[in-house]
Every structure is written in structure tokens, then in C-alpha cells.
Amino acid sequence: EEVLVESGGGVVRPGGSLRLSCVASRLTFHDYAMTWVRQVPGKGLEWVSDINWNGSRTAYSDSVKGRFTISRENAKNSLFLQMSGLRAEDTALYFCARHISWNIYDAFEIWGRGTMVTVSS
Amino acid sequence: ETVMTQSPATLSVSPGERATLSCMTSQSVGGHLAWYQQKPGQAPRLLIYGVSTRAPGIPARFSGGGSGTEFTLTISSLQSEDFGVYYCQQYNSSVTFGQGTKVDFK
């Protein structure tokens, strides 16, 4: 079974930083773009960031631009999200997902189960 | 930003009935529209992309249609496992999701 596993979530104070990771197993990682999507429990889906297959192109939602950085390490089948300047409104379950193609702005075919980030004093 | 509006908010359907979900976009998204199903405690699952292409493993009772700014997801004969929340997503200009339609059973 193709699997994406997120980690790195936790409780952090406002203004703090956190680094999320997503590791792919039993699926092709390096040929596909990847994304982070978040969801406040009980609410809808919010796109956060995309990265293309080789990391040369990235995109961010306005709500996280300048505070979050997406990156990937294809040799380790890994995706990352460095989050800084965290705010209470960043509290959510963060999913990583693999695109259906190599480019950013696409549909998301394979999803992880998510890692919870809570920003609270 | 392209705003996505889904209707209805909740759809109550009996098993075996046809369900039609609507998604309207604030500007044209070309063929860059997808649908997802999410069940409680689970990650979303891709159903449809490119307006009408079923993702691998998705049953034929799910179909997508529409163009421009108006799109639909149709479940031809609702099964018990089809309950959940359905989201549309555009990926023509950045990425945005609709607010979701909850499908539950009468």
C-alpha cells in the first residue's frame, strides 16, 4: 500500500517554530509534486503550499507566505514544512499529499493521515 | 483568489437514490477541477480530477461534469459507504477548496 506519514506536529507557543516532515513509502516520490493542506478539526480544507517534483518551484497561500517554507529531499523520499512566526490561526491538522503530476497546482492523489499542530500560550 | 461555492450544505439521500452536488467558481477554472470525499477521522480521497476523470479505483457510480464556472458531482446510486463530506477544488489559479457538502442518509 502506498503510504505517506507525517510527523513533527505538537504544541507550540505563538511566535514559535515547528518543522513538519512527510515520508513516502511504497510509492514513487521523486517524479511528483507535493503539497501541504491543513484542516481545523470539524472545518474545511485549506491549501497551504506546493512544491514541484525537483523543488525548483514552490507556491504558498497568502495566509502563510513569508512564514512557512516548503522543501523536499528526493533521495530520502521526504517532504518538509518549516513553520515560523506561528499564530493561533495556524492550529490545524496538517496533511501532506502527492499530486497527480510533476507540477504545482494540481489535484492531490495520495494523502497522509495528518499531524496536528496546536499554537497556544 | 478563486472562490468556490458548494451547494447544498447538506444533502440527505436514501440508499439507491441519485445524488447531485454542485460547485460554482467565481471565475473560470478551465478543466482544472477536482472532487474529494472525506469521512470522519480520515484523510480526503480523490474521486475526480480534470472535471470528469475518475481517479484510480473510484467506482463508476461517481461522475463529474460541468464547465467554466459551474460543475457537478453525481453519485448515480448512493451506497452506504458514500456518506461523508465532499469537497470541490480548483487548481487553475493557485489552489482553493469549496466549503464542503455533507451527504448523509435519510
Side-chain angles (χ1 to χ4, degrees):
Chain A
E1 182 188 355
E2 301 168 317
V3 176
L4 292 169
V5 179
E6 302 92 337
S7 62
V11 180
V12 61
R13 295 188 185 279
S17 298
L18 213 52
R19 189 189 196 214
L20 305 185
S21 299
C22 169
V23 177
S25 302
R26 298 184 294 279
L27 61 82
T28 301
F29 180 80
H30 54 83
D31 285 343
Y32 293 86
M34 297 291 295
T35 194
W36 289 98
V37 171
R38 66 187 182 185
Q39 184 174 39
V40 174
K43 302 297 184 182
L45 302 170
E46 180 188 9
W47 172 74
V48 172
S49 181
D50 273 5
I51 187 166
N52 72 338
W53 71 281
N54 66 358
S56 63
R57 193 174 176 201
T58 60
Y60 300 90
S61 67
D62 288 343
S63 60
V64 308
K65 197 174 296 182
R67 300 188 298 123
F68 290 10
T69 301
I70 190 171
S71 61
R72 64 189 296 162
E73 188 169 351
N74 284 345
K76 295 186 177 181
N77 287 347
S78 296
L79 173 73
F80 306 100
L81 186 68
Q82 179 67 47
M83 305 185 296
S84 61
L86 283 162
R87 306 166 179 167
E89 55 264 35
D90 295 319
T91 294
L93 183 65
Y94 284 72
F95 296 101
C96 71
R98 193 190 80 173
H99 286 214
I100 59 171
S101 77
W102 54 273
N103 202 7
I104 63 171
Y105 301 159
D106 213 334
F108 310 139
E109 183 179 12
I110 300 170
W111 295 66
R113 298 180 64 87
T115 186
M116 188 67 200
V117 172
T118 302
V119 183
S120 174
S121 55
Chain B
E1 174 181 300
T2 302
V3 177
M4 315 288 286
T5 304
Q6 291 187 243
S7 62
T10 303
L11 186 61
S12 298
V13 187
S14 297
E17 285 187 342
R18 183 185 190 89
T20 301
L21 288 66
S22 174
C23 177
M24 294 185 64
T25 64
S26 61
Q27 57 190 294
S28 176
V29 298
H32 302 118
L33 188 111
W35 291 91
Y36 299 82
Q37 176 196 65
Q38 187 178 32
K39 296 183 179 181
Q42 296 185 17
R45 177 173 72 143
L46 177 65
L47 300 173
I48 302 284
Y49 64 94
V51 177
S52 59
T53 302
R54 274 189 301 276
I58 300 303
R61 65 180 181 273
F62 291 92
S63 63
S67 63
T69 62
E70 297 187 13
F71 301 90
T72 57
L73 173 71
T74 300
I75 310 171
S76 59
S77 177
L78 207 75
Q79 305 297 302
S80 58
E81 62 266 29
D82 298 336
F83 76 92
V85 180
Y86 290 78
Y87 296 95
C88 59
Q89 172 217 9
Q90 70 80 22
Y91 47 95
N92 182 65
S93 173
S94 186
V95 173
T96 46
F97 289 94
Q99 80 279 19
T101 289
K102 182 179 180 180
V103 175
D104 61 19
F105 295 94
K106 279 184 182 176

